[in-house]
Amino acid sequence: MMKAWQYHEYGSVEVMKFATDVAIPEINNDQVLVKVVAAALNPVDYRRRLGQMKAADPPLPVIPGLDVAGVVVKVGSEVKGLKEGDEVYGDVNEKALDKPTKLGTLAEYVAVEEKLLALKPKNLDFVEAAALPLAIETAYEGLERANFKEGQSILVLNGAGGVGSFIIQIAKHVFGASKVAATSSTKKLELLKSLGADIAIDYTKEKFEELPDKYDVVYDAIGQPEEAVKAVKEGGCAVSITDFEKPIPPPGFGFVLTSSGSMLTKLNPYLESGKVKPLLDPRTPFPFEKVKEAFTYLESHRATGKIVIYPIS
C-alpha cells in the first residue's frame, strides 16, 4: 500500500483527500515503476479536478499529477533503456486531454511508460527536475509547430509563467531567436530580462497588440488569442496552449502537448550546460501533506514559475 492524494468527486480543492491505503500500481510490460521523489503541479491538474475534462476522464477516484522526478524501482519485460536505480523525470501522460491517467504523480509510486521518461539532468536536483516536463515540452513543441527558426522574432505572453519562462529560454538558446519580447506585470519585468528577454512589456501599462513592433511568432501562454494575432507580422503566426478554452483566429493555431522522453533527452544538454534553467516559485517546494495549500496557491494565479511537491513520503 502507498500514500496518495485522491478525489472521488469533482469540485474545489476541498474534494482532495489524503489516503494511506492505496494499492501500489501494477506495471505493464512497457512501463517502469517510479518511486516518486518530487512532483509538480500544472493548471491542467486543477482544471481536471474542477470537471473541465470530465468527458475524457476515467471513472473516479483519480490521483492527480502529471510531472514526476524519481527513481526507477521496477522495470517491465519490454523496457530496454531504463534500469532499477535510474533517476528519471517526465510527464506521465502522453496526451493529457485525450486519455488522462487515473493514477498520477501525487503518490509514493507511479507506473510510467518508458517512452515518456528521460534520465534526470545530472546538475539538477529532483525538485528542479520535477518542475520541467510538461512546461518545457509544451514550450518546445509549440515552437516546433510554429516552425520557429534561427534569426526570427517572438513575443511570449505571460513570460514569467511556468511555460512562458521556458519559451523565452528555448527560443533564445535552442532555436537562436534574434529578438525575444515577453509580457508580465511590473514586478516581474527584471525576471523576464534575466531569462533572456530583450524586451519586457508591462501589460498593466501597455497593450502589446497596440505597440508598433510585430513578430514572426506570438506564443500565447495566458489566454489572449484575439490580441495575440494582432501582434503577428505578415507571414508569421500565433500559437496558443489555451485554444480549447478560447479558439484562436487565423493566423493562429492551438495544440495539445504530446509528451515524450525523447524530447526531454534532446533538451538535456541545454539543461546540463545551464543555458536553460527551471524557474521555481519562491514558495516551492510544498511538503506532501500541504498539497491542498499548493493547489490553492496555484489557482490564485500569483505563482512565478513552477510549484513542486517535495518530499513525497
Side-chain angles (χ1 to χ4, degrees), residues 139-298:
Y140 185 85
E141 185 175 341
L143 289 166
E144 268 202 330
R145 285 174 177 256
N147 201 25
F148 192 67
K149 293 183 174 69
E150 184 177 357
Q152 289 189 321
S153 60
I154 185 170
L155 169 62
V156 184
L157 307 186
N158 191 26
V163 174
S165 66
F166 286 122
I167 302 168
I168 293 170
Q169 296 179 79
I170 292 172
K172 190 91 168 184
H173 300 298
V174 180
F175 285 85
S178 62
K179 180 170 70 174
V180 178
T183 66
S184 76
S185 60
T186 312
K187 64 180 181 180
K188 297 177 183 177
L189 296 177
E190 288 306 314
L191 171 63
L192 298 184
K193 292 176 182 175
S194 74
L195 291 169
D198 303 296
I199 302 168
I201 301 169
D202 186 343
Y203 69 74
T204 69
K205 295 177 181 174
E206 295 183 291
K207 291 185 176 180
F208 67 84
E209 70 273 21
E210 295 177 359
L211 297 175
D213 284 352
K214 305 302 174 188
Y215 300 86
D216 294 300
V217 172
V218 178
Y219 201 135
D220 176 18
I222 190 66
Q224 294 180 287
E226 292 181 2
E227 295 88 344
V229 295
K230 293 177 183 175
V232 177
K233 67 165 60 169
E234 190 172 346
C237 70
V239 54
S240 172
I241 54 172
T242 61
D243 185 63
F244 63 96
E245 296 173 353
K246 296 181 189 175
I248 188 166
F253 66 92
F255 78 100
V256 175
L257 170 66
T258 301
S259 289
S260 73
S262 61
M263 198 188 308
L264 295 173
T265 299
K266 191 188 300 184
L267 291 168
N268 270 1
Y270 298 95
L271 293 159
E272 292 183 340
S273 70
K275 287 182 178 177
V276 177
K277 300 174 182 176
L279 178 62
L280 299 173
D281 184 86
R283 289 182 61 178
T284 277
F286 284 78
F288 196 35
E289 64 271 16
K290 300 281 189 182
V291 161
K292 282 188 181 181
E293 287 88 337
F295 266 115
T296 299
Y297 182 50
L298 177 65

Side-chain angles (χ1 to χ4, degrees), residues 18-123:
F18 185 68
T20 58
D21 57 351
V22 178
I24 294 173
E26 297 289 330
I27 59 170
N28 298 329
N29 293 341
D30 63 344
Q31 291 182 318
V32 299
L33 186 66
V34 175
K35 173 70 177 80
V36 181
V37 179
L41 304 186
N42 292 285
V44 68
D45 295 317
Y46 71 74
R47 289 177 182 144
R48 185 181 176 195
R49 193 201 67 231
L50 289 169
Q52 294 176 9
M53 297 162 59
K54 201 180 294 187
D57 249 351
L60 300 178
V62 158
I63 297 172
L66 301 176
D67 283 335
V68 68
V71 180
V72 175
V73 293
K74 189 177 181 182
V75 298
S77 60
E78 295 172 9
V79 172
K80 299 290 189 289
L82 295 174
K83 63 185 186 304
E84 289 181 24
D86 280 345
E87 297 181 349
V88 295
Y89 74 121
D91 171 1
V92 304
N93 222 123
E94 189 170 16
K95 291 195 175 184
L97 299 183
D98 188 4
K99 293 181 180 176
T101 182
K102 183 179 175 71
L103 305 174
T105 60
L106 292 179
E108 290 184 286
Y109 296 92
V110 65
V112 194
E113 295 166 77
E114 179 188 19
K115 67 180 180 179
L116 300 181
L117 295 172
L119 293 175
K120 179 176 73 65
K122 297 180 181 68
N123 59 319

